[in-house]
Amino acid sequence: MDRIIQSPGKYIQGADVLTRLGDYLKPMADRWLVVGDKFVLGFAEATLRNSLEAAALGCEIAPFGGECSQNEIDRLRDIAKRAECSAVLGIGGGKTLDTAKALAHFMGLPVAIAPTIASTDAPCSALSVIYTDAGEFDRYLMLPHNPNLVIVDTKIVAGAPSRLLAAGIGDAMATWFEARACSRSGATTMAGGKCTQAALALAELCYNTLTEEAEKAMLAAEKHVVTPALERIVEANTYLSGVGFESGGLAAAHAIHNGLTAIPDAHHYYHGEKVAFGTLTQLVLENAPQEELETVAALCYAVGLPITLAGLDIEEDIPAKMRIVAEAACAEGETIHNMPDDVTADQVYAALLVADQFGQQCLHNWE
Ligand SMILES: [Zn+2]
């Protein structure tokens, strides 16, 4: 099988980078449809307009309706057509960005993506998750290309609640372990080929960055200021993890996350918070060294990520619930089957209980 790595065409990150946005967008198109979170437009619209105007770019600003659904995409498509836009900029959180990516794809236009939080590794990827108007999962839309440009203003990211950065750290923490598993098994990644050396190296750099910088970055996020550590974590959460998961591959941690969504208990937790516990469970499943388990658990604990089931508000009927989670994690087509050995629901059930026990023991020692 061929080896493949894919990534956004250009990645730009810095404090106040939005004030320079027009210069970066200018080579791509003259008239932009800006799909923005209403909340974000509330404080960033004037900066956006000024920056685009200074670069002599036209723009039509369309506040995002709130759901990444086909109806919303069609609505924005009409606006873009009427305003004769030749490119799309998405600014805001995950659903806004997914909508901008899907819209640009359906219109055959270039797309720039400006995440305002660093809570997942989705912005850089060639994937949109489409929901119904009521907010239920509809389908994955695999895009032929990654975004042409991803631009992250770290001052805006630092202004968001710190728990969102921690969630991004949880999502990024899985990247190295899942890519490592895929490289051992020779699994096909989301990029449609085997993992390259480059993707594996980015995934490992992602993990090393987290162990070195995450705690320092959280201090900055709590004070809503930009420091070198915060810059490094935003890059790890967004770019290293983004390219790392897409071209390095997903394995047990994300499948266990998906399994956890099969019970209602943890619905109100962020993606990365559930992925963190999924990572701990994957390490138990693959019998990782004790030292690695301890490093991951300590890092989660330090940044406020859950390391027990109770930490995800799963407190009653645990055996029955974990049976459901384990079965769902092992469903056909799940990425858990990218692990080097065959994985059964029984094994996942055991790993879930042991990961929880391990997390409880850590908390007992540390608190
Ligand atoms: Zn993820």
Side-chain angles (χ1 to χ4, degrees):
M1 186 187 287
D2 300 326
R3 296 178 188 278
I4 302 177
I5 183 168
Q6 63 186 51
S7 68
K10 201 169 198 174
Y11 179 81
I12 303 164
Q13 179 188 305
D16 289 323
V17 77
L18 276 195
T19 61
R20 302 182 284 281
L21 183 65
D23 296 336
Y24 290 120
L25 298 184
K26 199 170 175 59
M28 294 166 63
D30 290 333
R31 273 197 72 75
W32 288 78
L33 180 78
V34 179
V35 181
D37 271 357
K38 286 175 187 155
F39 173 74
V40 172
L41 290 176
F43 62 83
E45 185 170 342
T47 309
L48 277 174
R49 281 192 189 278
N50 291 342
S51 177
L52 267 65
E53 226 167 71
L57 300 177
C59 79
E60 176 76 24
I61 295 195
F64 176 53
E67 196 52 79
C68 180
S69 65
Q70 193 62 52
N71 283 336
E72 174 67 2
I73 293 165
D74 294 343
R75 181 184 75 87
L76 293 165
R77 185 177 187 156
D78 287 343
I79 297 174
K81 269 191 194 157
R82 248 183 288 129
E84 297 178 342
C85 297
S86 49
V88 178
L89 166 71
I91 175 163
K95 288 191 178 200
T96 312
L97 305 182
D98 274 10
T99 305
K101 283 195 252 180
L103 172 66
H105 164 63
F106 289 130
M107 298 189 74
L109 301 178
V111 63
I113 291 294
T116 51
I117 50 177
S119 66
T120 75
D121 53 20
C124 290
S125 72
L127 175 78
S128 285
V129 187
I130 311 292
Y131 294 83
T132 66
D133 291 325
E136 282 149 17
F137 174 79
D138 178 14
R139 65 188 197 276
Y140 289 112
L141 178 65
M142 306 297 283
L143 306 167
H145 305 290
N146 297 69
N148 301 72
L149 188 146
V150 174
I151 186 158
V152 190
D153 191 325
T154 40
K155 208 177 244 185
I156 293 179
V157 172
S162 61
R163 185 178 158 196
L164 290 166
L165 190 77
I169 291 168
D171 200 19
M173 193 140 24
T175 306
W176 162 238
F177 300 110
E178 293 187 287
R180 182 177 73 180
C182 287
S183 113
R184 283 175 181 163
S185 67
T188 304
T189 74
M190 318 287 276
K194 277 213 246 185
C195 185
T196 61
Q197 295 290 309
L200 206 57
L202 292 183
E204 189 167 21
L205 176 62
C206 180
Y207 178 61
N208 291 339
T209 304
L210 298 183
T211 57
E212 287 160 22
E213 309 290 342
E215 283 185 62
K216 287 184 283 174
M218 284 304 293
L219 298 175
E222 279 151 21
K223 300 312 285 180
H224 304 303
V225 292
V226 179
T227 58
L230 182 110
E231 288 275 4
R232 292 197 61 189
I233 289 301
V234 171
E235 184 187 346
N237 287 8
T238 311
Y239 185 82
L240 299 176
S241 181
V243 178
F245 100 80
E246 188 169 44
S247 294
L250 295 177
H254 271 78
I256 289 158
H257 161 276
N258 293 346
L260 286 166
T261 65
I263 56 168
D265 308 49
H267 271 187
H268 53 295
Y269 285 91
Y270 290 123
H271 173 81
E273 292 173 330
K274 285 175 275 193
V275 170
F277 189 75
T279 300
L280 216 50
T281 308
Q282 177 177 323
L283 293 176
V284 173
L285 188 66
E286 61 190 355
N287 199 27
Q290 177 77 17
E291 193 192 334
E292 201 164 80
L293 267 168
E294 282 169 5
T295 304
V296 168
L299 182 54
C300 288
Y301 180 72
V303 302
L305 288 165
I307 55 172
T308 61
L309 293 171
L312 289 165
D313 285 350
I314 305 169
E315 298 190 85
E316 282 165 15
D317 303 326
I318 284 180
K321 285 174 183 164
M322 289 309 107
R323 281 281 168 207
I324 296 169
V325 172
E327 290 289 343
C330 293
E332 207 186 314
E334 258 304 346
T335 54
I336 206 162
H337 304 298
N338 288 341
M339 294 295 288
D341 298 311
D342 286 343
V343 176
T344 65
D346 266 355
Q347 291 167 344
V348 176
Y349 174 79
L352 282 161
L353 294 189
V354 171
D356 179 46
Q357 185 67 17
F358 177 74
Q360 287 185 41
Q361 195 186 77
C362 290
L363 292 184
H364 179 79
N365 292 339
W366 297 334
E367 282 178 347

